[in-house]
Amino acid sequence: MTATEAQTRQQRIDADLARAGWAGHRRNLLEEVLLRSSEPKPEYGDVRFADYVLLDASGKPIAVVEAKRSARDELAGKRQAAEYADAIRAKTGTDPFIYLTNGRDIQFWDRECYPPRRVAGFHSPEDLERLLHQRRYAQPLDGVTIDSRIAGRDYQNEAIRRVAEGIQAAKRRFLLVMATGTGKTRTTIALVDLLLRAKRVQRVLFLADRRELVRQAMTEFKNHLPNESLARIESGEAPSARIHFATYPSMMQVYERLSVGHYDLIIADESHRSIYQRYKALLDHFDALVLGLTATPTDYIDHNTFQLFSCDDGVPTYLYSYEQAVADGNLVNYRVLDAQTQFQIQGIQGDSLPEPLQQMARDQGVDLEELDFEGTDLEKSVVNQGTNDAIVREFMARCRKDAQGLPHKTIIFAVSHAHAKRLYESFNRLYPELQRQGLAEIIDSHMERADAVLDDFKFKAMPRVAISVDMLDTGVDVPAIQNLVFAKPVFSRVKFWQMIGRGTRLYTDPRTGESKRDFLIIDHWKNFAYFQLNPEGEIDRPSEPLPVRLFRDRLTRWQLEAAQARPTDTTVRRLQAMLAALPRQSIDVRPHVDALDQLAQSWPAPDAPHIERLSHTLAPLLRLVPGQSLDELQWRLWCERAALALMQGDAEQGQRLQARIQDALRRLPEAIPEVRAQRDALAFAVSPGFWQHLDLPRLDDLQERFAPLMRFRVREGGQPIEINLPDRIAQRHWIIYGPTGEGAFAESYREQVEAWVRRLADDHPVLAKLKRGEPVSDAELDAVSAILNQADLFVTADTLRQALDAPQASLLELLRHILRQDARLPDREARVQQAFDAFIAAHPRLRANQLAFLRAVKAAVLRHGRITRAALSQPPLAHVGKVEALFAPQDIDELLALTEKLDERAA
């Protein structure tokens, strides 16, 4: 039996009001208040009874509460409450605030400013009096100037105006996406200053995820708003001040003791982070304007940054990207030195070590049979101090240095505190005279007085090098940094860009007046290759949510199955099931309900319009499906991609996925009954026999059988083996040239060659023709080649290909690239793509199966170069189809000739 309105009021609403400070004995609450309407209705007359009327400190009505029983919609009484408010306004001249509640949900309505909005509770008497004050005295924001002393750059002003215009338009949540180093904090301070002076806000909360970021922000606010009262929330205490600063964990200790209207503005720093999985309750509790700040927006399954701040997907309130900031001269670019040690590349295998190193290992008490590690196991399963020594030596040799020959300010990102300590010990051992001056220090949460050491790093000459674990990855502002060392792998794109952002700020050395033009990144773990980023500065797009990736991969599989005349029933059923799980009441899904119904009844043919709609319109909606298991989604994605690799004949990708899948299966604990029930299937799936005779039905059974068990998967731990073997940098993109083997680092060699060629073009007629874009003969090109291949640089086509990382380019293309800005070198992938496109264009009648086979051949050429005739009939290409059945002998000869031509051009 549902509660009556009277029961709802007694059991729920009265208690909620009392918690907020409203009660009869406080003389600020009246019940069943008689109101006479200025515009009586025939059916009701001019008499009304308001459920509750809330009174201000002077006893005047400040709010009206319309109650409904819990079974009814709280918005049902909206018109009724408006009539009560009209009657009060007619009598007092003040429009009261309105609450609509059914005991479960509460809507707050400030009719002069906003539509009704859901709130977590009733405002306190102080809250409402403050809101009423703001309503009476607030100034139009477009008439209030921005303090240029705080934020004077044009893009900062635009960001502030975007938010101000949104507030004027009754919006309450905003997201600023500004590249690290462009002054997000100063922009925020100028906005807070604007809103304070306009009487739009009176209490502000600044949230960050680490103490150092809170401390840094508070210092900035104090410098620019010296007359405002500031306080930090710590140890469960919320001191009195206009502007509060807190970490999310600190705020979690106190927020429930504060009223829902305690703050007028909440600033959430680094809003791309997954903090909202744990701390979103803060934003739900307070009824405030919310401003999110981030450098790298991204979509995650658990939360969507754009949705969180009421922005359309991909459209923040304001965007100022890293590329734009560099182009505008507000940030500096970076250069990357990719350097790996011998053990990072080859790993450490005891039986493969030279005899002197084997003896060193034995002398250190290490069993050679235990030494069987890949390079990626360093600082995880095995620790080798010699590798850390090599990293430190490489840094000291290659880093940007000042006029005294000392490294400019540097952050070295370590794997762990233990790793940071080992790097610190390498500095002590290799450079004791510099360490005596305090060159390198560990700055992380394990060190006492880390904040004081960080201040020394920021403001004093020493230390020059900060060895850090996580503490300096994000948010720390040290413009003098000119070196970053990635001594650890990074797998989060968001974190990766935050780490790069430590060096992007502008800086002018006060002693020499020299400005920082760019900064150096030494990458020991191929992080740039992992993220497929352009080291010159292109920002990769945010990763798409797992369910979206899974849906799109299944679309690709469906197309391949149709093209290869395979059964599509399983894939179509999975696609339909994913679409059926969409929340149809969602405002984003509702416009597509008819299309979803149609797809559930009849799945279309894989033509271009249907693929476009499924992939670009419906696939992004999959992020909205609630309650999805990340572990299960990742498992299904691996299995689907293994199926794609099988159909496309991509053996290399198939092997990588096989290793991931087997590793995941081995991490299922047999102590769990559900896992134990699949013991035989599990043993077979990790055996070689399962993968030697792999087909799609077997992969599909594997996917369905183990997907529900992935939530039990555990991570392995254990103490690493420690050893100290000498290591060295073994890969550095070194350029070898000249008759006696003279060498130079690729970057410096390229710069010297480009400068020399440009100088020669001023006097040499053939180079001048190339610079003007005119054609040259083979004889003229040979003459230029002879001139270039002289001391001191000995420039040849081969050395230029290495320096410019263009292994397929001709000398003519390389010289045009140097001399003309509009001449771009086609990369190898583009060359191969162009060649296969031409082949397909010359054979317009190719069937879908033939096209699928050609795509597989193209992938093989990109990986291996020329393909032999025998390879066309062997796995992995044989998985796609029989070449003799797909192509005529003449076509096979043409295809082989094509691959040979590509191979010759690469030679």
Side-chain angles (χ1 to χ4, degrees):
M1 180 177 178
T2 59
T4 65
E5 181 178 313
Q7 290 172 328
T8 299
R9 289 174 59 177
Q10 182 180 9
Q11 295 170 4
R12 299 185 179 183
I13 300 174
D14 289 352
D16 290 339
L17 286 165
R19 274 193 295 270
W22 305 98
H25 69 271
R26 295 176 183 265
R27 298 185 179 182
N28 60 9
L29 180 147
L30 301 175
E31 296 188 58
E32 300 297 342
V33 179
L34 174 65
L35 299 171
R36 292 190 179 275
S37 174
S38 58
E39 297 180 4
K41 300 290 190 297
E43 62 272 29
Y44 299 115
D46 64 345
V47 176
R48 302 284 190 276
F49 284 94
D51 294 322
Y52 303 89
V53 173
L54 309 183
L55 308 177
D56 65 15
S58 64
K60 295 179 180 179
I62 194 172
V64 61
V65 180
E66 173 58 21
K68 296 298 177 187
R69 66 178 184 270
S70 58
R72 295 195 62 188
D73 190 327
E74 75 277 7
L75 287 172
K78 179 172 175 282
R79 176 62 180 271
Q80 192 176 351
E83 292 174 358
Y84 299 156
D86 290 340
I88 292 173
R89 181 173 56 187
K91 185 175 181 180
T92 67
T94 300
D95 191 21
F97 301 107
I98 296 173
Y99 290 98
L100 308 169
T101 181
N102 57 9
R104 291 182 292 105
D105 297 309
I106 303 173
Q107 298 273 349
F108 178 65
W109 189 10
D110 180 359
R111 294 195 298 175
E112 294 189 11
C113 301
Y114 298 100
R117 61 179 180 267
R118 184 166 296 166
V119 291
F122 293 100
H123 296 75
S124 71
E126 181 190 358
D127 295 340
L128 289 189
E129 299 233 21
R130 195 174 73 256
L131 291 178
L132 187 60
H133 176 85
Q134 292 169 16
R135 184 204 283 176
R136 286 173 175 167
Y137 299 106
Q139 302 174 31
L141 293 175
D142 55 4
V144 182
T145 60
I146 299 170
D147 190 340
S148 60
R149 295 169 299 178
I150 303 175
R153 295 178 178 174
D154 54 357
Y155 65 88
Q156 294 171 333
N157 288 342
E158 182 181 351
I160 293 167
R161 287 301 178 197
R162 293 283 185 191
V163 176
E165 290 165 6
I167 294 174
Q168 291 284 95
K171 296 180 180 178
R172 294 186 60 80
R173 294 201 172 193
F174 311 92
L175 178 64
L176 298 185
V177 180
M178 300 173 66
T180 299
T182 55
K184 290 190 298 293
T185 303
R186 291 185 68 150
T187 301
T188 302
I189 296 170
L191 175 63
V192 170
D193 173 66
L194 178 81
L195 296 176
L196 287 170
R197 287 187 286 114
K199 306 294 191 296
R200 290 303 186 103
V201 302
Q202 292 170 272
R203 284 183 179 166
V204 179
L205 172 64
F206 187 100
L207 290 168
D209 62 342
R210 290 192 289 110
R211 292 176 64 248
E212 169 55 29
L213 303 185
V214 168
R215 189 169 70 99
Q216 187 169 280
M218 192 170 178
T219 300
E220 288 285 306
F221 270 81
K222 188 179 299 182
N223 290 338
H224 296 293
L225 300 179
N227 297 323
E228 293 297 337
S229 57
L230 314 177
R232 186 167 174 174
I233 296 177
E234 287 186 301
S235 304
E237 298 296 327
S240 176
R242 289 243 284 180
I243 304 177
H244 280 161
F245 299 83
T247 63
Y248 292 93
S250 294
M251 199 64 206
M252 289 295 287
Q253 299 178 39
V254 303
Y255 83 94
E256 290 181 322
R257 303 202 303 265
L258 302 176
S259 67
V260 298
H262 190 81
Y263 295 109
D264 303 309
L265 171 65
I266 297 176
I267 300 158
D269 195 18
E270 302 302 346
S271 296
H272 62 269
R273 291 177 167 268
S274 58
I275 50 177
Y276 299 105
Q277 299 176 15
R278 299 167 57 189
Y279 305 128
K280 187 174 178 293
L282 296 178
L283 300 187
D284 291 339
H285 177 76
F286 293 111
D287 178 45
L289 299 172
V290 180
L291 175 66
L293 307 174
T294 183
T296 312
T298 186
D299 294 327
Y300 288 123
I301 294 171
D302 296 2
H303 74 273
N304 185 294
T305 301
F306 299 109
Q307 286 185 332
L308 188 66
F309 293 97
S310 301
C311 299
D312 295 331
D313 277 0
V315 185
T317 308
Y318 179 73
L319 168 65
Y320 192 62
S321 68
Y322 175 70
E323 298 99 327
Q324 188 62 51
V326 171
D328 293 345
N330 292 317
L331 293 179
V332 299
N333 213 331
Y334 57 88
R335 307 185 75 87
V336 180
L337 163 57
D338 184 86
Q340 284 77 49
T341 72
Q342 179 176 337
F343 288 151
Q344 282 182 309
I345 298 170
Q346 299 178 1
I348 303 177
Q349 289 81 35
D351 56 357
S352 300
L353 292 172
E355 177 55 36
L357 295 188
Q358 290 187 10
Q359 187 59 48
M360 286 182 66
R362 285 191 287 264
D363 292 344
Q364 295 170 33
V366 177
D367 186 347
L368 292 179
E369 294 184 359
E370 294 182 0
L371 290 179
D372 186 13
F373 299 102
E374 300 294 330
T376 54
D377 292 326
L378 284 165
E379 292 301 328
K380 292 190 294 186
S381 304
V382 62
V383 168
N384 181 47
Q385 187 58 44
T387 301
N388 294 320
D389 289 348
I391 289 173
V392 170
R393 286 195 190 96
E394 181 72 359
F395 163 72
M396 292 298 291
R398 302 290 172 185
C399 69
R400 300 281 173 88
K401 299 179 178 70
D402 64 10
Q404 297 175 292
L406 293 174
H408 280 295
K409 292 287 185 176
T410 301
I411 298 177
I412 298 179
F413 301 112
V415 174
S416 62
H417 176 70
H419 184 214
K421 185 178 178 181
R422 285 188 282 270
L423 289 168
Y424 176 74
E425 290 169 350
S426 292
F427 275 101
N428 289 343
R429 184 168 51 256
L430 299 174
Y431 304 99
E433 70 287 355
L434 295 177
Q435 281 299 91
R436 192 170 57 223
Q437 304 173 42
L439 177 73
E441 292 285 355
I442 300 172
I443 304 179
D444 67 13
S445 58
H446 289 78
M447 304 299 290
E448 294 183 1
R449 299 183 59 79
D451 291 346
V453 181
L454 179 56
D455 283 342
D456 290 345
F457 178 64
K458 286 181 177 181
F459 305 116
K460 295 183 179 180
M462 291 289 182
R464 293 292 182 93
V465 180
I467 309 171
S468 178
V469 184
D470 295 333
M471 187 172 173
L472 304 186
D473 290 359
T474 63
V476 176
D477 184 0
V478 186
I481 288 173
Q482 296 203 40
N483 302 292
L484 297 177
V485 179
F486 283 83
K488 70 173 182 179
V490 183
F491 302 104
S492 164
R493 184 178 286 109
V494 169
K495 187 173 185 179
F496 181 58
W497 274 102
Q498 287 294 315
M499 295 163 78
I500 290 174
R502 298 315 99 214
T504 59
R505 289 172 173 82
L506 302 177
Y507 177 71
T508 300
D509 191 325
R511 294 170 299 176
T512 64
E514 183 178 352
S515 297
K516 179 169 69 171
R517 292 177 298 173
D518 53 28
F519 65 101
L520 175 67
I521 297 175
I522 303 178
D523 184 7
H524 289 290
W525 283 97
K526 288 190 173 293
N527 290 297
F528 284 86
Y530 176 80
F531 290 112
Q532 298 180 342
L533 295 178
N534 183 340
E536 293 297 323
E538 290 185 8
I539 295 180
D540 204 0
R541 291 176 297 176
S543 60
E544 61 187 2
L546 280 175
V548 178
R549 276 187 269 169
L550 179 60
F551 187 83
R552 286 176 172 159
D553 281 354
R554 285 175 171 171
L555 283 178
T556 303
R557 175 176 171 175
W558 169 52
Q559 295 173 74
L560 281 174
E561 288 174 340
Q564 297 176 11
R566 297 175 185 263
T568 62
D569 297 354
T570 298
T571 304
V572 168
R573 186 172 64 252
R574 287 172 174 166
L575 288 166
Q576 289 175 319
M578 293 185 74
L579 293 177
L582 285 169
R584 296 198 167 203
Q585 296 305 312
S586 166
I587 192 172
D588 295 313
V589 177
R590 197 176 299 125
H592 307 289
V593 166
D594 291 341
L596 293 173
D597 288 338
Q598 186 176 355
L599 288 168
Q601 295 171 6
S602 176
W603 196 257
D607 54 37
H610 285 118
I611 295 298
E612 174 74 16
R613 181 173 179 79
L614 287 165
S615 181
H616 297 286
T617 303
L618 297 182
L621 300 177
L622 270 299
R623 72 187 186 279
L624 304 173
V625 176
Q628 300 183 91
S629 165
L630 289 174
D631 291 325
E632 181 175 336
L633 283 171
Q634 185 65 74
W635 167 260
R636 291 187 180 279
L637 189 67
W638 289 339
C639 291
E640 292 292 355
R641 290 188 172 177
L644 289 176
L646 182 65
M647 286 189 288
Q648 293 170 332
D650 191 341
E652 186 176 335
Q653 172 75 343
Q655 290 173 357
R656 284 196 295 267
L657 290 162
Q658 175 185 337
R660 286 184 179 179
I661 290 170
Q662 288 179 316
D663 180 67
L665 292 172
R666 292 189 182 101
R667 293 175 186 269
L668 292 175
E670 290 194 14
I672 303 294
E674 293 93 329
V675 177
R676 195 162 53 245
Q678 299 292 336
R679 180 185 301 165
D680 294 341
L682 180 60
F684 180 46
V686 298
S687 69
F690 181 93
W691 300 91
Q692 288 172 357
H693 305 286
L694 193 64
D695 55 23
L696 291 182
R698 180 172 289 184
L699 269 174
D700 288 337
D701 177 73
L702 181 77
Q703 180 179 161
E704 298 302 330
R705 185 183 297 272
F706 291 102
L709 304 182
M710 284 299 124
R711 67 184 189 276
F712 301 123
R713 189 165 46 129
V714 297
R715 299 186 179 277
E716 294 179 347
Q719 292 295 319
I721 294 176
E722 295 194 23
I723 195 170
N724 186 4
L725 300 178
D727 200 358
R728 61 181 178 84
I729 299 294
Q731 181 173 297
R732 199 187 289 114
H733 301 302
W734 199 267
I735 298 296
I736 303 299
Y737 62 95
T740 58
E742 301 92 351
F745 184 55
E747 185 176 284
S748 60
Y749 177 73
R750 182 181 68 243
E751 291 173 351
Q752 293 177 62
V753 170
E754 289 178 347
W756 184 43
V757 170
R758 290 177 183 133
R759 287 196 305 270
L760 284 176
D762 294 334
D763 302 316
H764 196 282
V766 177
L767 289 174
K769 290 173 66 176
L770 286 175
K771 187 175 182 179
R772 293 193 298 267
E774 298 173 6
V776 297
S777 66
D778 290 343
E780 289 175 321
L781 193 60
D782 289 340
V784 169
S785 179
I787 291 173
L788 294 177
N789 191 13
Q790 296 179 17
D792 294 318
L793 294 175
F794 299 100
V795 177
T796 67
D798 286 337
T799 58
L800 273 181
R801 290 186 188 111
Q802 294 179 65
L804 294 171
D805 195 22
Q808 288 77 42
S810 66
L811 178 61
L812 183 63
E813 291 172 325
L814 294 163
L815 292 174
R816 282 176 175 160
H817 172 74
I818 293 172
L819 293 170
R820 294 181 58 82
Q821 291 185 350
D822 59 350
R824 292 290 177 263
L825 290 173
D827 58 22
R828 181 168 181 264
E829 184 174 354
R831 285 179 173 275
V832 173
Q833 182 67 52
Q834 291 169 6
F836 275 83
D837 287 346
F839 184 90
I840 292 171
H843 300 78
R845 298 179 181 274
L846 290 172
R847 301 187 305 276
N849 288 353
Q850 293 173 309
L851 291 170
F853 190 87
L854 286 175
R855 283 196 297 272
V857 173
K858 179 179 68 177
V861 170
L862 285 171
R863 287 195 305 273
H864 307 298
R866 184 164 58 92
I867 300 298
T868 65
R869 183 179 295 272
L872 294 176
S873 302
Q874 297 172 351
L877 295 177
H879 287 308
V880 184
K882 293 184 177 181
V883 65
E884 295 84 0
L886 291 172
F887 296 92
Q890 181 180 350
D891 293 335
I892 296 175
D893 291 338
E894 289 184 30
L895 183 59
L896 288 170
L898 170 67
T899 65
E900 290 174 359
K901 183 178 180 181
L902 288 169
D903 188 52
E904 290 169 359
R905 295 181 69 178

